[in-house]
Amino acid sequence: MLWQFVKWAGCPDLFITFTCNPKWPEITRFVESRRLSPEDRPDILTRVFKIKLDHMIKDLRDNKIFGEVKAVIYTAEFQKRGLPHAYILLFLPNKYPNVGDIDGIISAELPDKKVDPYYYNAVTNFMMHGPCGTARKSSPCMQNGRCTKHFPKKFVSSTTIDEDEYPICRRRDDGRTAKRVGIELDNSFFSKCK
């Protein structure tokens, strides 16, 4: 069925992962007032996730945060930890043909803490991997002295597209850091393109 859709709409332009966060204020407000933890109420997690997912799809389709949209397809699943997440395929009539366009919507770098402290805090709390590697060899992701998730990543001065048309996001050594578990982390520990 997807191949028929791709035949009509073309290849998807953006692949977006949307994950439930048990620290969302709506969830914490509900569970804390009842002296529960989020995992005690999977129904609340799922309801809040669905509301936010619907809002995200509306932003993509109606508010055109990435421009005009030809089609949106998504599927929702549950992680091993029990949290819902969705994979969203976004089809755009105006393709993002060059790395300059990609840099306009994707980043794998820490934001400036002075310019946008709220965004900096969100990124450092939810989008940083580690610490691991030589900085913390006891990290759960370490096996045989190496990170199983391939961190720290190499610094890259500009975005490129590999032979499979997958973007290798710009990840500059710009001196910005975030402290986690007492260890300073830089852009090489930024876990996902945002």
Side-chain angles (χ1 to χ4, degrees):
M1 169 111 169
L2 183 60
W3 68 269
Q4 292 172 329
F5 190 83
V6 170
K7 188 174 179 181
W8 170 77
C11 291
D13 297 285
L14 295 173
F15 177 85
I16 302 167
T17 304
F18 186 79
T19 306
C20 179
N21 182 351
K23 293 182 181 178
W24 279 333
E26 300 87 347
I27 294 171
T28 56
R29 188 171 47 245
F30 180 87
V31 296
E32 286 175 359
S33 69
R34 290 157 179 81
R35 297 183 185 190
L36 299 169
S37 60
E39 57 269 14
D40 294 331
R41 293 301 302 266
D43 59 323
I44 299 301
L45 291 172
T46 305
R47 286 178 187 177
V48 173
F49 169 78
K50 178 64 170 133
I51 291 167
K52 289 187 178 272
L53 175 62
D54 289 346
H55 189 74
M56 172 76 162
I57 298 298
K58 182 175 176 22
D59 278 345
L60 293 171
R61 195 176 31 227
D62 300 341
N63 298 335
K64 301 175 176 139
I65 60 174
F66 293 119
E68 195 65 41
V69 173
K70 188 171 186 179
V72 178
I73 296 178
Y74 72 88
T75 182
E77 301 176 349
F78 285 85
Q79 298 172 332
K80 289 180 183 177
R81 295 180 294 170
L83 294 175
H85 65 278
Y87 298 117
I88 304 167
L89 296 177
L90 193 63
F91 299 82
L92 307 171
N94 303 318
K95 304 296 182 187
Y96 283 98
N98 63 52
V99 294
D101 292 333
I102 292 169
D103 284 339
I105 59 170
I106 298 173
S107 176
E109 298 177 325
L110 287 163
D112 189 335
K113 187 176 185 176
K114 293 176 184 167
V115 173
D116 195 347
Y118 178 79
Y119 192 40
Y120 175 85
N121 287 334
V123 166
T124 57
N125 284 325
F126 303 116
M127 299 187 77
M128 297 295 289
H129 177 80
C132 67
T134 56
R136 188 168 172 231
K137 295 179 181 178
S138 63
S139 181
C141 63
M142 296 292 288
Q143 284 184 352
N144 301 324
R146 306 193 102 189
C147 175
T148 58
K149 311 294 184 203
H150 310 290
F151 284 94
K153 303 284 187 185
K154 293 179 182 176
F155 290 115
V156 179
S157 60
S158 61
T159 299
T160 58
I161 299 173
D162 69 11
E163 61 276 356
D164 295 323
E165 296 186 13
Y166 186 81
I168 308 299
C169 296
R170 178 177 63 196
R171 194 183 292 265
R172 297 172 291 193
D173 187 5
D174 58 11
R176 293 182 186 155
T177 61
K179 190 175 262 191
R180 291 189 71 185
V181 196
I183 298 169
E184 294 287 333
L185 301 178
D186 55 23
N187 288 334
S188 64
F189 286 93
F190 198 100
S191 68
K192 293 186 172 57
C193 294
K194 62 178 179 344

